Amino acid sequence: MSLKGYLLPAGMLAAGCAALFTGLLPWPAFQELAARTVPVLAFVVAMSLVTEMVDDAGLFRVVTERLAALGRGRVFLLWLLVVGLATVSTVFLSLDTTAVLVTPVVVLLAVHARIPPLPFALTTIWLANTASLLLPVSNLTNLLAQDRLNLSPAGFANLVWAPALVGILVPIGLLWLAFRKDLSGRYGPQPVHKARDKVLLYSASGVMVLLLPALVSGVPVQIPAMAAAAVLLVLFLWRRRSALRWTMVPWRPLMLTAGLFMVVEALHANGLTQALSGIAGSGEGLPALLQLAGLGAGAANAVNNLPAYLALEPAGDSPVRLAALLIGVNLGPLVTPWASLATLLWHERLRTLNVEIRWGGFAVAGLAAVVLTVPLAVAALWLTSGMP
């Protein structure tokens, strides 16, 4: 990893620290921010370690090989199975996991099957973003919203299930319409790779089987994530010590996120909330919810979904309004490459696989998806929330 890649994260963290030391971020506000966000960052680190080690154990490769077998040589069926994998990965393991780990395995699956890889690559990143609304663990923005709302995972899902369903089904329909010719036909048998260490593979699989329900059990998510990371670290120290490396810790996202938290909190302490209150609107009617979701989607594509959420969070002064904001910042980042960290990570993986993305076409297709998906998701939220 080059030093250049650390410039922005280090700069953002330095800016946050400068805001604290100069008093722009008051100490009491920083203490409240730390109490709220340290558990979230602990979860991010733990889940990054878990997914890296599970991937090294070979679980994701085994899953894709099973998908290739279940596809029975039909490209369309294989694509539907990839849709399922990307959705489940995003819902239970987060959008960044899908971008980093699912992308290379499904793209290589398409390449080996002599299928155009673009439909599989675009399916992965669209669903990494748009399927990230259902559970708190699906997206960092959801974890922040869950903390603000003080909801259990079940309560959170009950609030957003209808727009979350729209966020999955509408992009799938659009992708099929765009790539239906590429998704027809058949593919040949795929090679099966032998597991390097079956003990490690089966053990990692067992950890995941226990972890997934624990993440939605209502226990603070950082606890089962940290426990799973600890178990896997012990397993790797026993079976494959050489695979453990410091780069498994997500240093860049961690520094960037911590810095953003501090900078945006400093801005809130110095009038950002009042500045945005006029354009964020108020009320829980359909036009008001559309206004807030649209502002969230626009801000996410202009800067990034995390600072967009943090800046607009005070405008989400009710569960329904906060859910509308989540629709905008979760389902909206499909236009610009920097709109979500997941998209940047996805592009890094594609570059290593020599898969070219034309950002002009990406933006046009993403804009069409956002224009359809976000309003329909807001309408679904409004209809199921009983708002006037």
Side-chain angles (χ1 to χ4, degrees), residues 12-63:
M12 187 59 66
L13 183 59
C17 293
L20 178 63
F21 294 143
T22 59
L24 289 174
L25 174 57
W27 183 255
F30 173 73
Q31 288 179 307
E32 292 181 12
L33 176 69
R36 183 184 179 199
T37 58
V38 167
V40 172
L41 295 177
F43 168 77
V44 170
V45 173
M47 283 304 298
S48 296
L49 291 173
V50 167
T51 51
E52 288 280 358
M53 287 185 282
V54 166
D55 180 53
D56 196 87
L59 180 58
F60 281 94
R61 182 171 291 279
V62 169
V63 170

Side-chain angles (χ1 to χ4, degrees), residues 105-144:
V105 291
V106 300
V107 168
L108 287 174
L109 176 62
V111 170
H112 292 159
R114 297 183 180 179
I115 303 168
L118 183 59
F120 288 74
L122 199 58
T123 296
T124 305
I125 193 55
W126 273 21
L127 289 175
N129 286 291
T130 65
S132 68
L133 188 62
L134 183 61
L135 294 177
V137 298
S138 309
N139 199 319
L140 182 55
T141 56
N142 297 357
L143 286 171
L144 295 169

Side-chain angles (χ1 to χ4, degrees), residues 303-340:
V303 286
N304 178 266
N305 65 335
L306 182 57
Y309 172 82
L310 292 171
L312 292 167
E313 187 185 57
D317 51 9
S318 72
V320 174
R321 281 185 60 81
L322 199 58
L325 175 58
L326 287 175
I327 290 171
V329 299
N330 287 17
L331 277 58
L334 299 181
V335 181
T336 60
W338 56 81
S340 75

Side-chain angles (χ1 to χ4, degrees), residues 4-363:
K4 183 179 178 182
Y6 281 96
L7 291 179
L8 176 60
M12 187 59 66
L13 183 59
C17 293
L20 178 63
F21 294 143
T22 59
L24 289 174
L25 174 57
W27 183 255
F30 173 73
Q31 288 179 307
E32 292 181 12
L33 176 69
R36 183 184 179 199
T37 58
V38 167
V40 172
L41 295 177
F43 168 77
V44 170
V45 173
M47 283 304 298
S48 296
L49 291 173
V50 167
T51 51
E52 288 280 358
M53 287 185 282
V54 166
D55 180 53
D56 196 87
L59 180 58
F60 281 94
R61 182 171 291 279
V62 169
V63 170
T64 54
E65 288 174 353
R66 295 291 184 272
L67 294 183
L70 290 171
R72 300 179 181 276
R74 296 172 57 194
V75 175
F76 178 69
L77 181 55
L78 180 63
W79 175 72
L80 288 179
L81 292 168
V82 168
V83 165
L85 174 62
T87 301
V88 171
S89 171
T90 300
V91 169
F92 288 99
L93 298 177
S94 87
L95 72 169
D96 294 338
T97 296
T98 301
V100 172
L101 298 180
V102 175
T103 297
V105 291
V106 300
V107 168
L108 287 174
L109 176 62
V111 170
H112 292 159
R114 297 183 180 179
I115 303 168
L118 183 59
F120 288 74
L122 199 58
T123 296
T124 305
I125 193 55
W126 273 21
L127 289 175
N129 286 291
T130 65
S132 68
L133 188 62
L134 183 61
L135 294 177
V137 298
S138 309
N139 199 319
L140 182 55
T141 56
N142 297 357
L143 286 171
L144 295 169
Q146 181 198 22
D147 176 75
R148 184 177 177 89
L149 295 171
N150 195 26
L151 288 175
S152 67
F156 186 92
N158 186 59
L159 174 66
V160 299
W161 69 268
L165 191 61
V166 171
I168 295 170
L169 294 179
V170 173
I172 290 173
L174 292 175
L175 287 164
W176 178 79
L177 286 173
F179 294 110
R180 58 189 181 277
K181 291 183 179 179
D182 291 329
L183 297 175
S184 62
R186 302 187 66 83
Y187 62 93
Q190 298 302 297
V192 177
H193 298 83
K194 188 176 181 180
R196 287 192 291 166
D197 187 332
K198 288 188 177 181
V199 172
L200 196 58
L201 173 62
Y202 294 151
S203 300
S205 302
V207 169
M208 293 301 292
V209 167
L210 295 174
L211 175 61
L212 295 186
L215 291 175
V216 296
S217 65
V219 176
V221 290
Q222 71 272 15
I223 295 176
M226 292 170 67
V231 171
L232 287 169
L233 281 171
V234 171
L235 284 169
F236 271 76
L237 286 170
W238 172 41
R239 303 290 299 186
R240 195 181 298 166
R241 186 186 299 263
S242 61
L244 299 176
R245 56 199 184 278
W246 284 109
T247 53
M248 297 174 80
V249 178
W251 298 111
R252 288 188 298 173
L254 197 61
M255 294 164 63
L256 182 65
T257 302
L260 281 170
F261 283 152
M262 297 169 71
V263 168
V264 176
E265 188 64 27
L267 292 172
H268 279 306
N270 290 275
L272 180 63
T273 302
Q274 292 76 12
L276 292 175
S277 60
I279 58 175
S282 61
E284 298 177 341
L286 181 58
L289 298 180
L290 287 169
Q291 179 181 355
L292 182 55
L295 182 60
N301 283 290
V303 286
N304 178 266
N305 65 335
L306 182 57
Y309 172 82
L310 292 171
L312 292 167
E313 187 185 57
D317 51 9
S318 72
V320 174
R321 281 185 60 81
L322 199 58
L325 175 58
L326 287 175
I327 290 171
V329 299
N330 287 17
L331 277 58
L334 299 181
V335 181
T336 60
W338 56 81
S340 75
L341 176 62
T343 304
L344 295 173
L345 295 171
W346 169 80
H347 185 238
E348 284 187 7
R349 288 297 188 269
L350 292 185
R351 287 179 62 186
T352 63
L353 298 169
N354 295 316
V355 176
E356 182 182 355
I357 294 296
R358 293 184 175 87
W359 288 114
F362 179 91

